[in-house]
Amino acid sequence: MGATKFEVYTQRQIEYAKFFKALGHPARIGALENLMKSVGYEAGFDELFDGIDLAQSTRSQHLKKLTETGIIRTKLVSSNNKTCLRYRLNKEAIEFIRQFLEFIHESIDWNGNNYMGDGFYSSFQPGIDWQMYFRT
C-alpha cells in the first residue's frame, strides 16, 4: 500500500491543491465573477449564481466548496425580522493564491537560457487580458 498524500507532500502543497481544486469548475468561477461585479463585493446566494443555470442543490454544493476552502467568507445579516447569508471574498485566501503564483513567476528566468518555453506545445490561448488583472 502506498503512502498517503500527508506523508508525501508538504502541508503548503496540500493547501494550494485544495484552493486550485475549488477554483477548478466553471460554475464556481462564474460565481466568483458575479461576486466581483456586485456592489461592495458582497452578494447573496441568488446574486452569486445569477445567469448560471443549475439546480439549487448543485449551486449549494459549489458554494460549499468555495466556503470550505476559505475562498469565500459568510456573514449572517438580519433585517426586518429576516436573516440571510451574505458572501464575500476572503482576502487572505486570495493573497495565499497570489503568493503561489508570484513564487512561480519569480522562479522562472523568462529571458534566460534556463527557460525552455519556446517550442513547447500548449492548447492554452489566453482569451483574457491578464495584464489588466495582474498589474505589477
Side-chain angles (χ1 to χ4, degrees):
M1 189 162 161
T4 68
K5 69 179 174 184
F6 296 104
E7 296 169 332
V8 176
Y9 304 106
T10 67
Q11 187 62 35
R12 191 163 189 84
Q13 290 168 332
I14 293 168
E15 290 299 316
Y16 281 130
K18 284 181 190 177
F19 273 78
F20 285 107
K21 184 175 182 180
L23 295 173
H25 194 283
R28 293 190 286 269
I29 296 295
L32 290 174
E33 287 176 343
N34 286 342
L35 183 57
M36 295 308 300
K37 293 175 191 172
S38 63
V39 175
Y41 306 113
E42 185 177 292
F45 182 83
D46 290 336
E47 296 167 284
L48 279 177
F49 293 97
D50 185 38
I52 302 172
D53 189 26
L54 295 172
Q56 190 274 336
S57 60
T58 305
R59 292 175 179 194
S60 294
Q61 288 299 313
H62 287 303
L63 185 56
K64 181 180 178 184
K65 182 70 84 172
L66 291 170
T67 55
E68 281 180 341
T69 56
I71 294 171
I72 289 181
R73 298 176 69 170
T74 60
K75 177 173 82 170
L76 187 63
V77 177
S78 298
S79 67
N80 299 332
N81 292 331
K82 290 177 79 176
T83 59
C84 65
L85 285 174
R86 300 292 290 174
Y87 302 94
R88 170 174 283 206
L89 277 175
N90 182 355
K91 183 179 179 183
E92 290 82 13
I94 302 307
E95 179 64 22
F96 183 71
I97 295 168
R98 189 195 63 76
Q99 287 175 359
F100 176 73
L101 295 175
E102 188 174 282
F103 166 73
I104 291 173
H105 189 268
E106 290 177 356
S107 298
I108 296 173
D109 180 6
W110 296 99
N111 298 315
N113 294 330
N114 294 332
Y115 179 63
M116 299 293 290
D118 296 334
F120 279 79
Y121 173 77
S122 173
S123 62
F124 176 74
Q125 298 296 320
I128 298 173
D129 178 11
W130 292 105
Q131 296 302 319
M132 182 176 83
Y133 294 102
F134 300 106
R135 292 190 175 111
T136 56

